[in-house]
Amino acid sequence: MGNEGFYQEFEVFSQRTDTSPLQYQFSLLAPNREIALVMAQENFMRREPAADIWVVKRSDIRKLTPEEKQSLQRLDNKDYRTTKGYGYLKKKWRHYEQEMLDEKEILSWGGMKKGD
Amino acid sequence: MTEPVSKMPIDAKVKPALTSLLYQLADDDFILAYRGSEWLGLAPHIEEDVAFSSISQDTMGHAAMFYQLLEDLGEGNVDSLAHARKAAERRNAVLLEVVNGPGHYLSSAQYDWAFAVVRNYFYIQAKKIRLDSLKNSLYQPLAEVALKVNMELYYHLLHWKTWFIQLMQAGGEARTRMEAAIRKVLADFEGVITLGPLAKDMAEHGLIEPEDVLKQRWLLTMKPVFESINLAVSEADLAMKNGNGRIGEHTADLDAALTTLSEVYNINPAASW
Amino acid sequence: MSEALFFQEMTEEQKYEQFMKRINAGEKIEADDWMPEDYRMTLIKLISMHGISEIMGALPEKEWVPKAPSLKRKLGIMAKVQDEMGHGQLLLRVAEDLMKPLGKTREDIMQDLFSGRLKFHNVFHMEAPTWGDAGLIGWLVDGAAIITQTNMLNASYGPYARALKRICAEEVFHAQHGEAIIMALAEGTEEQNAMVQDAVNRWWEALLMFFGPGDASTTGTSKQDTTIKYRIRTKTNEDLRQDFFTKYIPRVLSLGLKLPDETMHFDQDQELWVYRQPDWNKFKDIIKNNGPKSQERLGLRRTAYETNKWVREALNTAN
């Protein structure tokens, strides 16, 4: 068998619905991406819905090596990036007789109707 | 369960054409799904085994829906329709009953993948065209089933067309094997296209379009595909070499298949399994 | 992760120590991670055997796919056997990734199967001559498989644990599919009842063997200590066999079926099921491909693989 061969590795990703994130499924062997694509749904999503499927040739994926995974470590000193660092505002707003606009409140605005 | 029959009174003049059409649809899918089930575990690679089996299951599911329409018309229950009818009563196209290749499915199977690809691709395309027409059938229960079945045919077509194109383009031995399979399939493809002796009645009663319209549509749909792989196919290549299944003509392959598929059922057709 | 020592600077002993520390802490090992050679080889052996057993396991049931007695049963068993192939796919992918550094591929797995180097589970060498066997395989053989597979759901090797999670979810369907067939036969005619009882009699010994020997003294070798040490599994073969008895014997008896072992009983003092040992010499012989159906099924697999070779060659370099 040549260095390409019939058994090439593909990684399969799928989306459950139009709004869900792409999720990793599993890997399969196929001679090319067209065949990989027609294998994907029935091999890994026989019992669940799929709104989209991606197949990616494994050799095209650059992953972290075990050593490089050490680059993922970071200190726990970054409160300033998150709401955690601004929690004191709640008490302050209370002083002005206002509610704090927290994550729950702000993300609820998307569904707000005019005049709410 | 489908609609009660009483809602849809069937004109005695329409019934023979309607049941004839339903038997063809049901028997075609049933026997091809059976042939597909024999392939299980023997495909060119494991991933394909899994994918192919889904298609066979879908196809047998379609047969069950068509048999259910016959049951609703008082033709007998779905399992006896599928298991108890003799070869001469079957209305499937002969092409779909032909064995997958030499050997038995349990021991010495040397199944022909080229034949599987061509038979399934050509048939599914014809089935798609037939079902698109049935979506407008005046027999409402059939139109509703056609709409549902149609949904699953996109994948079947994509799957078989991918294999067909790739193996045709591969050249060499694959091309030779594929061309032999194409000749074999076309030699009996008229048997798939034909709607049998009541075809005219079917069209007149608005059950389905005339068979020649469907045939031209198949040729037209396949034309660009054939051209893309440098294959010359003309209408004259379509024949009915091994008999007309629509009038109950069948091969010994069907007798053997029926013996196998009804072996357990026949131990006691009245029992619950 | 306070270790400042870079991985490549570690000695083999330090790597091993860190590896054992990781798995003992419940961390998962991934395909690209460093692992002891012994761990890799143990996994390759275990998972390739598990995977190829699924593929070979499709064959005893395959007989009953076209023969199933109703449309519903035909569809159910097709889906079930399809899943077996699917499980084989998942497991072989896991094994293939482990073999990659050794330069081996699926092609080698298939050739190892044909040459007899790669074994498959004892149960799949046995005959399945009636529809009762089709039901029994789904019910009890899959039941036994569920017991052994759930025991490895927390395996230290991440890809195996993930594959098993998918597999076990589908096994629930298999168990119910088998139960449905058995229940219909048990509640059916006398002839149908007899079909189930015959199948139980035929499969009993193979089911006991399925979990493997209690310890190395029975068959000379046993990998169970290694797999427990590496946190691939937690329970011993005998623990699993006992679990199987506890779960399934009451169910078998409740359907009016008899066990073909009159010595079988639960010993309250020892809190153990007491049973007659299967013939372990027979077991050794069966897994050496000398079982009643070993050669026929290997022959079918080999013929199919060879017959389709042209397809794999045709698309060898496509795209």
Side-chain angles (χ1 to χ4, degrees):
Chain A
M1 210 157 276
N3 47 3
E4 283 293 305
F6 182 86
Y7 293 128
Q8 295 183 47
E9 300 160 332
F10 289 87
E11 301 290 354
V12 176
F13 300 82
S14 77
Q15 232 187 335
R16 203 181 160 85
T17 67
D18 286 337
T19 52
S20 40
L22 209 62
Q23 192 193 354
Y24 175 62
Q25 289 291 348
F26 216 82
S27 70
L28 58 76
L29 299 184
N32 54 63
R33 53 191 192 186
E34 301 308 318
I35 301 266
L37 198 62
V38 291
M39 299 296 111
Q41 180 175 8
E42 296 313 309
N43 270 272
F44 307 128
M45 292 152 279
R46 289 196 289 287
R47 294 181 173 87
E48 58 174 280
D52 200 2
I53 298 173
W54 290 15
V55 294
V56 184
K57 203 165 171 197
R58 186 184 277 177
S59 57
D60 286 338
I61 298 178
R62 167 67 164 90
K63 288 203 295 185
L64 291 176
T65 64
E67 290 76 41
E68 285 169 342
K69 282 186 186 170
Q70 298 188 67
S71 70
L72 299 172
Q73 300 171 73
R74 60 166 77 106
L75 289 176
D76 179 21
N77 64 351
K78 294 171 179 55
D79 281 359
Y80 57 87
R81 272 185 192 163
T82 65
T83 54
K84 209 169 146 197
Y86 303 90
Y88 68 95
L89 287 175
K90 189 172 185 168
K91 205 184 266 176
K92 290 219 163 242
W93 277 117
R94 205 175 294 148
H95 175 73
Y96 296 104
E97 296 181 349
Q98 294 290 324
E99 293 274 327
M100 173 155 171
L101 301 180
D102 58 11
E103 187 184 354
K104 196 178 156 207
E105 168 66 22
I106 289 173
L107 292 181
S108 76
W109 294 350
M112 201 165 63
K113 289 195 195 90
K114 212 176 169 186
D116 270 3
Chain B
M1 292 297 108
T2 49
E3 299 270 295
V5 190
S6 55
K7 267 193 173 176
M8 186 67 63
I10 305 301
D11 190 324
K13 277 185 290 187
V14 181
K15 203 175 169 190
L18 175 59
T19 52
S20 169
L21 176 60
L22 290 173
Y23 275 117
Q24 294 177 29
L25 295 166
D27 289 346
D28 273 1
D29 276 349
F30 181 66
I31 201 66
L32 188 64
Y34 167 84
R35 288 298 176 207
S37 79
E38 287 185 311
W39 261 103
L40 186 48
L42 307 176
H45 85 311
I46 298 164
E47 282 82 351
E48 171 58 21
D49 247 318
V50 179
F52 187 4
S53 180
S54 280
I55 294 175
S56 299
Q57 289 166 45
D58 290 349
T59 306
M60 193 165 287
H62 302 165
M65 292 161 88
F66 294 126
Y67 283 132
Q68 183 64 51
L69 292 176
L70 284 162
E71 181 177 320
D72 294 345
L73 289 170
E75 293 289 302
N77 79 60
V78 289
D79 279 317
S80 71
L81 291 172
H83 295 86
R85 287 159 52 238
K86 293 184 178 59
E89 300 168 61
R90 305 265 169 173
R91 292 293 175 265
N92 62 275
V94 168
L95 175 69
L96 309 177
E97 75 198 32
V98 173
V99 292
N100 293 313
H104 186 266
Y105 78 99
L106 286 177
S107 50
S108 50
Q110 289 172 279
Y111 288 171
D112 181 353
W113 187 245
F115 181 55
V117 168
V118 178
R119 169 160 73 173
N120 278 285
Y121 176 43
F122 287 16
Y123 170 71
I124 298 286
Q125 187 60 70
K127 179 177 171 182
K128 177 86 175 70
I129 284 164
R130 190 179 295 169
L131 284 164
D132 280 334
S133 178
L134 287 171
K135 284 193 279 186
N136 299 313
S137 177
L138 291 183
Y139 186 58
Q140 198 53 33
L142 178 54
E144 283 162 19
V145 166
L147 205 62
K148 286 187 198 156
V149 168
N150 204 39
M151 265 193 319
E152 293 188 326
L153 298 184
Y154 291 92
Y155 173 64
H156 299 186
L157 263 181
L158 176 69
H159 173 275
W160 291 118
K161 190 178 173 181
T162 303
W163 277 108
F164 179 77
I165 300 271
Q166 289 206 7
L167 290 173
M168 286 299 283
Q169 284 175 335
E173 186 188 353
R175 178 86 187 195
T176 309
R177 285 174 180 269
M178 288 293 285
E179 285 183 359
I182 290 168
R183 282 193 296 276
K184 184 173 166 181
V185 167
L186 290 177
D188 272 301
F189 207 69
E190 188 64 33
V192 172
I193 296 284
T194 182
L195 294 169
L198 297 179
K200 251 177 127 176
D201 291 357
M202 293 174 194
E204 273 168 21
H205 297 304
L207 298 173
I208 191 167
E209 287 165 280
E211 68 179 34
D212 195 55
V213 171
L214 303 177
K215 183 181 183 175
Q216 294 309 321
R217 211 170 277 157
W218 186 85
L219 288 164
L220 199 68
T221 312
M222 297 302 278
K223 201 172 166 231
V225 180
F226 291 149
E227 279 170 1
S228 76
I229 46 162
N230 295 317
L231 185 76
V233 173
S234 77
E235 191 175 343
D237 297 328
L238 274 58
M240 232 186 306
K241 189 179 151 203
N242 292 297
N244 184 357
R246 308 302 188 206
I247 55 170
E249 291 175 357
H250 293 288
T251 63
D253 289 358
L254 182 62
D255 293 317
L258 295 181
T259 305
T260 302
L261 70 87
S262 61
E263 183 187 303
V264 184
Y265 175 86
N266 279 336
I267 294 173
N268 187 346
S272 172
W273 293 93
Chain C
M1 284 280 187
S2 56
E3 295 289 317
L5 195 59
F6 272 101
F7 198 78
Q8 51 269 50
E9 295 162 9
M10 287 185 185
T11 65
E12 287 294 298
E13 288 77 44
Q14 283 168 322
K15 284 179 185 171
Y16 184 81
E17 215 170 279
Q18 197 202 46
F19 170 87
M20 290 307 289
K21 217 156 89 187
R22 283 184 67 195
I23 64 171
N24 285 324
E27 276 185 48
K28 300 289 180 209
I29 305 303
E30 294 299 326
D32 299 337
D33 292 351
W34 183 90
M35 62 186 82
E37 214 39 33
D38 186 31
Y39 182 75
R40 183 184 298 278
M41 298 318 281
T42 301
L43 285 172
I44 289 176
K45 194 167 177 200
L46 174 75
I47 302 169
S48 58
M49 187 213 173
H50 187 179
I52 211 69
S53 293
E54 298 276 358
I55 302 292
M56 294 306 287
L59 299 186
E61 287 174 286
K62 178 180 163 61
E63 173 166 7
W64 300 101
V65 171
K67 292 182 179 177
S70 68
L71 284 164
K72 197 178 165 202
R73 294 277 182 248
K74 278 184 162 72
L75 287 166
I77 195 166
M78 241 195 275
K80 198 261 179 177
V81 178
Q82 174 191 38
D83 283 349
E84 307 293 1
M85 295 303 291
H87 297 173
Q89 193 277 342
L90 298 168
L91 293 163
L92 290 186
R93 283 303 306 122
V94 175
E96 286 152 11
D97 284 348
L98 282 160
M99 292 172 163
K100 214 175 165 183
L102 313 178
K104 294 183 117 192
T105 66
R106 184 173 295 176
E107 182 64 29
D108 299 291
I109 294 182
M110 299 311 291
Q111 295 309 331
D112 283 353
L113 171 71
F114 301 145
S115 71
R117 272 192 300 276
L118 176 57
K119 313 266 184 251
F120 57 101
H121 269 303
N122 71 294
V123 282
F124 304 125
H125 296 257
M126 307 309 286
E127 290 169 297
T130 75
W131 174 245
D133 297 74
L136 192 116
I137 292 172
W139 186 33
L140 296 183
V141 174
D142 280 55
I146 291 172
I147 301 262
T148 57
Q149 291 176 135
T150 49
N151 179 45
M152 297 187 290
L153 275 174
N154 288 315
S156 58
Y157 189 57
Y160 192 36
R162 288 193 292 273
L164 286 169
K165 206 175 151 198
R166 276 178 176 272
I167 290 169
C168 288
E170 292 181 344
E171 293 284 4
V172 180
F173 151 68
H174 295 186
Q176 292 175 3
H177 159 84
E179 283 169 19
I181 296 174
I182 293 294
M183 207 83 91
L185 294 178
E187 292 173 353
T189 65
E190 252 174 61
E191 195 181 8
Q192 288 176 310
N193 298 165
M195 247 184 207
V196 189
Q197 185 62 59
D198 284 351
V200 171
N201 297 350
R202 202 161 25 245
W203 284 87
W204 187 248
E205 193 178 32
L207 282 165
L208 298 182
M209 291 172 175
F210 181 85
F211 299 94
D215 56 63
S217 68
T218 329
T219 52
T221 55
S222 172
K223 274 271 176 192
Q224 54 183 328
D225 297 339
T226 318
T227 50
I228 291 172
K229 177 181 85 177
Y230 285 131
R231 294 195 169 244
I232 296 163
R233 53 139 96 182
T234 52
K235 294 179 181 173
T236 65
N237 291 349
E238 192 55 40
D239 292 340
L240 295 170
R241 195 164 16 242
Q242 291 286 330
D243 286 352
F244 175 74
F245 292 149
T246 304
K247 297 269 187 246
Y248 284 92
I249 286 179
R251 283 174 168 75
V252 172
L253 299 177
S254 76
L255 295 180
L257 297 165
K258 291 191 176 58
L259 298 174
D261 175 0
E262 62 290 350
T263 69
M264 182 95 199
H265 67 279
F266 188 72
D267 184 311
Q268 300 287 353
D269 297 336
Q270 296 182 78
E271 295 194 325
L272 281 177
W273 293 89
V274 178
Y275 61 97
R276 191 191 298 130
Q277 285 292 321
D279 179 350
W280 290 107
N281 286 322
K282 208 161 124 191
F283 170 79
K284 278 197 285 186
D285 210 35
I286 288 168
I287 58 170
K288 276 187 210 147
N289 294 338
N290 294 320
K293 287 280 177 180
S294 315
Q295 290 310 319
E296 184 180 306
R297 293 195 184 129
L298 277 170
L300 178 61
R301 175 70 54 219
R302 190 187 295 114
T303 305
Y305 197 75
E306 290 303 315
T307 308
N308 291 322
K309 196 173 172 195
W310 69 271
V311 179
R312 292 186 298 275
E313 282 176 353
L315 302 185
N316 200 341
T317 51
N319 282 22

